[in-house]
């Protein structure tokens, strides 16, 4: 293999050239798959029924359901809605049992 000025490259230079090319290819291909993750914490000051969360479930509509020590909350990414019918109950599990009906969840307290 000749370099840019027309001279033959040594075997070591060839290996170094290909190793650098592979590393660059690997770097750019992996960086294109990287996701940007963001985290947000919510507390009782934002409307969460309790700061101890026992269960987290994301339904098919994108809502995050939070089972806490004292109730059930739904987080849409901006607002938290607490469900008063579960006030005072410790919720350990949240599962979607029928995706046809909006917000129908099974609560195991």
């Amino acid at each position: 293999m000749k370099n840019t000025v027309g001279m033959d490259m040594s075997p070591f230079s060839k290996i170094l050239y290909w190793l650098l090319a592979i590393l660059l290819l690997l770097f750019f291909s992996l960086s294109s798959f990287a996701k940007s993750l963001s985290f947000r914490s919510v507390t009782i000051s934002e409307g969460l029924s309790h700061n101890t969360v026992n269960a987290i479930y994301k339904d098919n509509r994108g809502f995050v359901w939070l089972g806490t020590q004292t109730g059930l909350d739904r987080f849409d990414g901006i607002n938290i809605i607490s469900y008063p019918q579960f006030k005072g109950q410790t919720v350990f599990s949240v599962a979607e049992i029928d995706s046809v009906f909006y917000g129908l969840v099974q609560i195991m307290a």
Side-chain angles (χ1 to χ4, degrees):
M1 176 182 288
K2 293 188 177 190
N3 63 14
T4 55
V5 291
M7 298 174 61
D8 283 332
M9 296 174 67
S10 70
F12 177 74
S13 296
K14 289 178 185 179
I15 292 171
L16 190 59
Y17 173 81
W18 284 108
L19 184 60
L20 182 60
I22 290 169
L23 286 175
L24 284 173
L25 180 64
L26 185 63
F27 172 75
F28 287 114
S29 65
L30 290 178
S31 65
S32 67
F33 291 113
K35 279 185 161 182
S36 175
L37 299 176
S38 64
F39 295 91
R40 178 178 172 200
S41 62
V42 291
T43 62
I44 55 174
S45 62
E46 286 89 26
L48 194 62
S49 60
H50 196 276
N51 279 333
T52 302
V53 176
N54 300 318
I56 302 172
Y57 178 77
K58 186 173 182 180
D59 68 13
N60 62 1
R61 291 174 185 82
F63 293 119
V64 176
W65 295 85
L66 304 162
T68 70
Q69 284 294 109
T70 59
L72 176 68
D73 304 313
R74 188 187 77 188
F75 182 58
D76 63 6
I78 299 169
N79 300 308
I80 297 175
I81 297 173
S82 292
Y83 288 82
Q85 59 268 41
F86 298 101
K87 186 177 176 97
Q89 295 182 30
T90 301
V91 179
F92 291 106
S93 176
V94 180
E96 196 168 6
I97 58 173
D98 189 350
S99 60
V100 175
F101 298 104
Y102 180 76
L104 183 60
V105 294
Q106 176 184 5
I107 309 301
M108 300 179 149

